[in-house]
Amino acid sequence: MSMDSADVSKVRENLPRRTRRGFMIRALLRPTATATCVLVVYFALPLHRQFTAVTAVLLAAGLVLLVAIIVWQARAIYRSPYPRLQAVEALAMSVPLFLVLFATGYYLMEGTEPGAFSEQLTRVDALYFTITVFATVGFGDIVPLTQSARVLTMVQMLGDLLIIGLAARVLVTAVQRSIDRRARDSGAGGDPP
């Protein structure tokens, strides 16, 4: 038997403070564990240092999977008794996956085309470059030099704009709709965390 949102709100409000705190701690630990797992997989994968057409297809498939995860997370936010915490969890899951996808692409590209970047990239360097592009810092210490490296960097830049703008908007809208729905269902202006 499933509970409607008014029932979930009543249950949530009647939970002891310690239980609510436990939900919040778990909601913060899950994304931390997810990000850690994504990084462990990135550093542990036996990458053969070849960027091929298959690599490009896998990168595109990873991006499609990321979009599916964001849509799934938006639905989970809408149903969650704690939509804000669920949104934090969604971003903490999506952003590291996005960054690792591109770091893997840069690392493999450097192995295929030595000199594609201004210096040889290790996995740490590739992740560092990905994060500086994502954060729009652009220190200039690592620069794409070949056309293919520049194309991949431009794809990441466009993806950055999409994940920051569109994905964040989708998640914020899901939070707001969840809060509005709960307020309508309960007849009060209660605002869950």
Side-chain angles (χ1 to χ4, degrees):
M1 178 173 157
S2 73
M3 297 169 56
D4 68 4
S5 61
D7 292 335
V8 171
S9 293
K10 287 176 188 171
V11 168
R12 185 189 68 241
E13 291 168 5
N14 293 327
L15 289 176
R17 183 179 183 100
R18 184 176 179 174
T19 304
R20 284 190 310 236
R21 189 178 315 135
F23 282 135
M24 287 186 219
I25 289 170
R26 281 192 297 278
L28 296 174
L29 287 178
R30 276 192 303 248
T32 302
T34 301
T36 301
C37 288
V38 167
L39 286 174
V40 166
V41 167
Y42 169 69
F43 285 106
L45 272 178
L47 301 175
H48 301 294
R49 303 276 297 177
Q50 295 294 315
F51 192 94
T52 63
V54 172
T55 308
V57 169
L58 289 174
L59 179 61
L63 293 173
V64 168
L65 175 65
L66 181 63
V67 169
I69 288 171
I70 291 170
V71 169
W72 173 70
Q73 286 287 0
R75 289 180 179 176
I77 290 167
Y78 185 70
R79 292 186 309 263
S80 174
Y82 297 101
R84 290 185 181 112
L85 291 176
Q86 187 71 36
V88 168
E89 188 175 338
L91 284 174
M93 178 189 289
S94 303
V95 171
L97 181 59
F98 176 81
L99 295 174
V100 164
L101 282 171
F102 279 96
T104 302
Y106 294 136
Y107 177 74
L108 294 174
M109 183 169 285
E110 176 61 33
T112 303
E113 290 182 60
F117 296 89
S118 56
E119 62 181 70
Q120 186 176 3
L121 299 182
T122 64
R123 289 182 199 223
V124 172
D125 295 328
L127 187 58
Y128 164 80
F129 177 70
T130 304
I131 292 171
T132 59
V133 170
F134 183 78
T136 67
V137 174
F139 292 122
D141 52 344
I142 301 175
V143 180
L145 299 176
T146 65
Q147 295 298 307
S148 55
R150 288 179 177 165
V151 166
L152 185 57
T153 304
M154 287 187 294
V155 169
Q156 184 200 340
M157 289 175 187
L158 293 172
D160 294 349
L161 294 173
L162 286 173
I163 203 162
I164 290 169
L166 186 60
R169 179 69 181 148
V170 165
L171 298 177
V172 167
T173 299
V175 167
Q176 191 57 50
R177 285 186 179 171
S178 178
I179 291 169
D180 291 347
R181 180 174 53 90
R182 283 190 173 44
R184 265 192 330 269
D185 291 348
S186 68
D191 190 17

